Amino acid sequence: MLKGVFRYLLPVLAILALLLAFLPNSSRWMAAAQFKTALAPSQNPWSLKNIGVITRNNPNDLDLNIGACNFFVPGVNDIPPRRQIRNINNLLRKFPRQPAAYAIAMSQMTMIGVKAGREKDQDLNPAQDKNDPWANVRLPAPNVPLLHLYNKYGIIAEKLDPNNAYFSFMRSVALFGLHRDNSAIREIIRAGNCSVWNDYTKEMILGRFKIADELGMGRDSIIRNYIIFFVLFPHLAPLRAASNIAIHDAMIMEKKGDV
């Protein structure tokens, strides 16, 4: 059986090489990378090993290290939560005075346990959604130690970037999760009094572009679009939950006469 397979392998490879030769230069590298990955998956340029080498070689490049932190590539980089936290802590240890590092770290942490986790977040669902399997599901409890760490990072970041509403609003998620509702409301009000909103996503994208350059991907627009497509904005769902909880409490207070 193997003998039969090898008999056809050489012609197939020759045809693939011929097709590769006729591809335009701007796309040839991508086809070659696909063939290389198919034949040797460990050589995938987006592997954690390759990205780790880049960050070790550029320890002082903020954008690059932000872009590399837990860069998720479906089917390639499956990073367990413990490893994600370690990567976040390493990032903040390298850049303890950079608000961008804290912004990306806090956004990433919303994917691994930081959430409000309050049932009243779902009380604003319309009545017609009662039969919706995604509505009124029991929410898992948040990771309390992670909420305390998250809140600590937010306090540090606020001092570094005091007029940025992002950090105050993000802290409200952890405070609701810790059942410190009055403090959470105060943070939302403080966020509303700020004049700037910056989640530093731009810096993360620039860092991922640098990763693509370091990996030899060139400045091809396909890779640029791929990188932008996988910006997930995970912090938006917890912020929506915090808003729902605040609105819920405001409605209850207004019904009691406290407008």
Side-chain angles (χ1 to χ4, degrees):
M1 180 177 177
L2 288 176
K3 184 177 181 180
V5 170
F6 284 118
R7 184 170 57 183
Y8 293 104
L9 182 60
L10 189 59
V12 168
L13 291 176
I15 292 172
L16 291 176
L18 187 62
L19 291 173
L20 194 62
F22 281 102
L23 287 174
N25 290 334
S26 60
S27 302
R28 189 177 300 160
W29 68 266
M30 186 168 63
Q34 292 287 346
F35 293 140
K36 183 178 180 181
T37 301
L39 295 173
S42 63
Q43 298 303 309
N44 191 311
W46 294 112
S47 72
L48 289 174
K49 177 181 178 181
N50 292 328
I51 295 176
V53 170
I54 292 171
T55 54
R56 285 194 295 274
N57 291 340
N58 299 273
N60 299 318
D61 190 317
L62 174 63
D63 290 344
L64 196 150
N65 278 269
I66 287 175
C69 184
N70 296 330
F71 184 11
F72 173 71
V73 180
V76 179
N77 296 343
D78 186 12
I79 312 172
R82 188 173 297 178
R83 173 75 177 274
Q84 288 178 295
I85 287 293
R86 187 163 69 245
N87 292 345
I88 288 169
N89 290 335
N90 287 339
L91 174 68
L92 297 180
R93 189 176 65 252
K94 288 181 183 178
F95 304 100
R97 304 296 300 169
Q98 295 292 339
Y102 287 94
I104 298 306
M106 294 176 74
S107 177
Q108 300 259 325
M109 290 169 75
T110 61
M111 294 191 289
I112 50 177
V114 169
K115 58 188 71 176
R118 302 289 291 277
E119 299 295 336
K120 58 184 177 181
D121 167 29
Q122 301 180 325
D123 286 349
L124 299 179
N125 288 327
Q128 61 265 29
D129 283 350
K130 287 183 178 179
N131 296 322
D132 187 340
W134 294 103
N136 303 311
V137 295
R138 185 166 184 80
L139 298 176
N143 184 323
V144 173
L146 201 61
L147 290 180
H148 284 292
L149 181 62
Y150 181 89
N151 189 46
K152 174 185 173 183
Y153 288 159
I155 292 172
I156 296 172
E158 280 186 304
K159 294 176 180 177
L160 299 173
D161 194 2
N163 198 35
N164 188 353
Y166 174 84
F167 295 112
S168 299
F169 199 2
M170 291 283 274
R171 281 189 62 209
S172 73
V173 175
L175 293 169
F176 275 130
L178 295 169
H179 291 258
R180 295 170 55 186
D181 293 15
N182 290 337
S183 296
I185 295 294
R186 282 197 295 270
E187 290 305 314
I188 292 176
I189 293 172
R190 287 182 62 240
N193 290 326
C194 294
S195 60
V196 174
W197 175 270
N198 186 1
D199 59 9
Y200 291 94
T201 299
K202 176 184 176 182
E203 284 75 6
M204 181 183 68
I205 293 174
L206 291 175
R208 292 183 178 180
F209 286 169
K210 287 185 178 182
I211 292 171
D213 293 338
E214 292 287 336
L215 290 171
M217 298 294 190
R219 303 194 64 80
D220 191 275
S221 61
I222 295 176
I223 285 295
R224 272 18 186 196
N225 286 327
Y226 171 84
I227 287 172
I228 293 171
F229 180 78
F230 277 104
V231 175
L232 303 177
F233 299 101
H235 53 278
L236 295 185
L239 291 178
R240 180 184 62 209
S243 300
N244 284 344
I245 295 169
I247 293 169
H248 171 278
D249 288 353
M251 290 170 64
I252 297 299
M253 292 172 66
E254 188 171 352
K255 286 181 179 180
K256 292 180 178 179
D258 184 357
V259 298

